[in-house]
Amino acid sequence: MAEVCAFCGTELKRFGKDTLVCASITQTVCKDCWTRYRDATQIERCRDILKHSWAKEPEQIRTFLEEREQEKAREQAKAEKLGRLMKCCGQPMTPLGMSEFQLGRTSWIFGDWPNLLAGAMELALFRCECCGQIKFMDPKFMKRKLEEP
Ligand SMILES: [Zn+2]
Ligand SMILES: [Zn+2]
């Protein structure tokens, strides 16, 4: 049986074939599809390859795709939750990432009280695009909030 391209089903010539990895499975493909999918994401590759039945291990690709999509949905739900949690001027604040806040014993905020707190504290930063307000949150607390059902 002649070998065919996993994407388009074209019969492969001896020197006209290449390989692409799809969900960690190496697929044999024609030159055209190789050029077309070389820069595509894994999700795009998997989605397109499953449109036909020429791929190797289609079940494994399907599982991979489902997992990725679930992961994406979870990320999206998390982002929405974050948007509800961190609101200002009636809109979600922009997450700016993490920052380290230096806690020292001569800090003007704490006076010379908390020796105990000396060191660095990780903070999650958010900015309101409407009024410019910056909010700091304890990432541990945020994580807990976001993982709550
Ligand atoms: Zn092809
Ligand atoms: Zn605001």
Side-chain angles (χ1 to χ4, degrees):
M1 204 181 96
E3 205 174 5
V4 296
C5 168
F7 282 98
C8 69
T10 301
E11 201 173 302
L12 295 168
K13 307 269 181 306
R14 196 155 162 218
F15 297 106
K17 60 181 183 187
D18 229 306
T19 56
L20 275 178
V21 172
C22 235
S24 75
I25 295 141
T26 306
Q27 307 283 351
T28 320
V29 302
C30 71
K31 287 282 181 206
D32 288 347
C33 289
W34 185 80
T35 313
R36 196 161 149 213
Y37 290 103
R38 157 182 69 169
D39 298 321
T41 63
Q42 279 292 325
I43 291 188
E44 282 167 338
R45 281 185 197 177
C46 290
R47 206 174 277 153
D48 281 5
I49 217 166
L50 287 179
K51 283 180 187 159
H52 307 287
S53 51
W54 298 299
K56 284 173 205 138
E57 311 288 343
E59 277 313 308
Q60 215 167 313
I61 298 175
R62 199 162 288 131
T63 310
F64 169 86
L65 201 56
E66 274 162 17
E67 276 167 10
R68 279 299 169 92
E69 266 155 12
Q70 278 165 9
E71 201 177 292
K72 225 165 112 188
R74 270 200 302 273
E75 287 297 311
Q76 211 170 335
K78 228 178 198 180
E80 272 165 26
K81 213 167 180 184
L82 193 63
R84 278 198 301 273
L85 211 60
M86 301 304 295
K87 245 185 182 162
C88 187
C89 300
Q91 63 181 44
M93 297 180 88
T94 311
L96 300 177
M98 298 294 194
S99 178
E100 282 215 326
F101 182 70
Q102 215 47 54
L103 297 166
R105 35 207 242 131
T106 52
S107 150
W108 58 270
I109 304 173
F110 303 108
D112 49 25
W113 160 56
N115 232 329
L116 298 164
L117 285 175
M121 185 186 182
E122 255 212 328
L123 295 171
L125 260 77
F126 296 85
R127 182 179 61 213
C128 172
E129 300 302 336
C130 190
C131 70
Q133 199 177 155
I134 302 274
K135 226 177 230 178
F136 299 98
M137 290 292 283
D138 185 334
K140 285 192 220 90
F141 178 87
M142 300 240 48
K143 206 161 168 260
R144 216 179 308 136
K145 275 274 172 199
L146 292 176
E147 274 158 12
E148 270 172 16

